[in-house]
Amino acid sequence: MIFYFSATGNSLEAATVLGESLDERTIDITEAMRKKEFSYALPNGERIGFVFPVFFFGVPSIVCDFIDRLELKGVEHPYVFSVITCGEKIGAADKQFQKIIQRKGLDVNVCFTLIMPNNSVLWYELPTPEEQRSMLAAARIRMGEIAQAVKENGTDGYASTLGARINAVFMYSLYKHGRRTLKFHADERCTGCGLCGRVCPCGAIELRERRPVWVQDRCVQCLGCINRCPATAIQYGEATRSRRRYVNPILKR
Ligand SMILES: Cc1cc2nc3c(=O)[nH]c(=O)nc-3n(C[C@H](O)[C@H](O)[C@H](O)COP(=O)(O)O)c2cc1C
């Protein structure tokens, strides 16, 4: 069983490829949260995978919340693996994830990192289409390697250094105390299609008079709304007006 969270499709692609090559069922954490489905029965010997993006060197809030509520039945000592997608590096997300999983009485056997195009448009210019294509080609090779390692119940993966863990304390606190929605708004290009509200994993966006309104002051900060808007109409302050957006091709099919 593979649980995944994805905003712009990278982790969805990784979970889909792994699910197909390992013949494992994939479960969308956003859907499970919406439907309040937290209880899963597993046949003995089944592997459990978690695939999600790194946020500020740590684990997205929705993944933490989901695992806190998760009830797994029928497993004694399952092989647990994580695949953490990132634009560059995951910092200490492996350690944070391990701590969350340990609260469930489980252990993480291995953590794999998977570099994919960066979607963090609030702070950076994003890769060009050409750069995206070459990063995705490299990522697909890496997905095959990860699938093979999981098939062999491999344990040789990423382990954060002490330096990365110290750095992550500062970085993740920016996320923990940030995630404000105040600066999000739709500009004159908004067509009122409502996609932003439908993709928001935490119900932070409502459509009022065919315009998105951020109705919660904090969100997961997954950036699905801003990257996936078909009219490039969603902005965060002024800086994002001139920046590219990123959506993994799996979401365009
Ligand atoms: C709030 C936020 C924080 C991020 N922090 C990091 C980071 O610390 N390191 C990194 O390499 N990439 C970071 N990224 C980039 C994403 O982890 C990366 O693009 C990921 O593959 C997106 O996955 P998705 O398409 O499944 O949503 C961040 C993205 C967001 C939205």
Side-chain angles (χ1 to χ4, degrees), residues 177-220:
H177 304 294
R179 327 197 250 119
R180 302 273 169 209
T181 58
L182 191 65
K183 288 195 197 168
F184 280 112
H185 61 277
D187 68 21
E188 67 290 347
R189 285 172 290 188
C190 177
T191 61
C193 73
L195 181 73
C196 49
R198 291 195 296 279
V199 301
C200 177
C202 59
I205 306 172
E206 276 178 19
L207 212 62
R208 292 186 188 159
E209 293 171 8
R210 291 182 54 80
R211 279 289 170 131
V213 177
W214 279 258
V215 293
Q216 296 170 13
D217 67 341
R218 300 182 85 207
C219 67
V220 174

Side-chain angles (χ1 to χ4, degrees), residues 111-237:
C111 165
F112 300 100
T113 65
L114 179 58
I115 296 179
M116 298 191 78
N118 199 338
N119 67 355
S120 48
V121 61
L122 304 199
W123 308 284
Y124 304 105
E125 176 55 291
L126 303 188
T128 62
E130 184 49 44
E131 287 165 340
Q132 290 176 20
R133 275 191 291 277
S134 82
M135 289 180 90
L136 287 171
R140 282 166 195 146
I141 295 170
R142 173 89 181 122
M143 286 174 209
E145 291 166 0
I146 293 173
Q148 189 54 39
V150 173
K151 272 182 199 156
E152 293 163 6
N153 287 0
T155 53
D156 192 12
Y158 176 85
S160 48
T161 61
L162 179 62
R165 294 204 286 274
I166 292 168
N167 234 342
V169 173
F170 168 72
M171 284 289 283
Y172 198 72
S173 74
L174 296 177
Y175 178 63
K176 217 157 62 180
H177 304 294
R179 327 197 250 119
R180 302 273 169 209
T181 58
L182 191 65
K183 288 195 197 168
F184 280 112
H185 61 277
D187 68 21
E188 67 290 347
R189 285 172 290 188
C190 177
T191 61
C193 73
L195 181 73
C196 49
R198 291 195 296 279
V199 301
C200 177
C202 59
I205 306 172
E206 276 178 19
L207 212 62
R208 292 186 188 159
E209 293 171 8
R210 291 182 54 80
R211 279 289 170 131
V213 177
W214 279 258
V215 293
Q216 296 170 13
D217 67 341
R218 300 182 85 207
C219 67
V220 174
Q221 209 171 56
C222 70
L223 309 189
C225 59
I226 188 165
N227 279 295
R228 293 180 63 180
C229 173
T232 327
I234 296 182
Q235 309 300 339
Y236 187 82

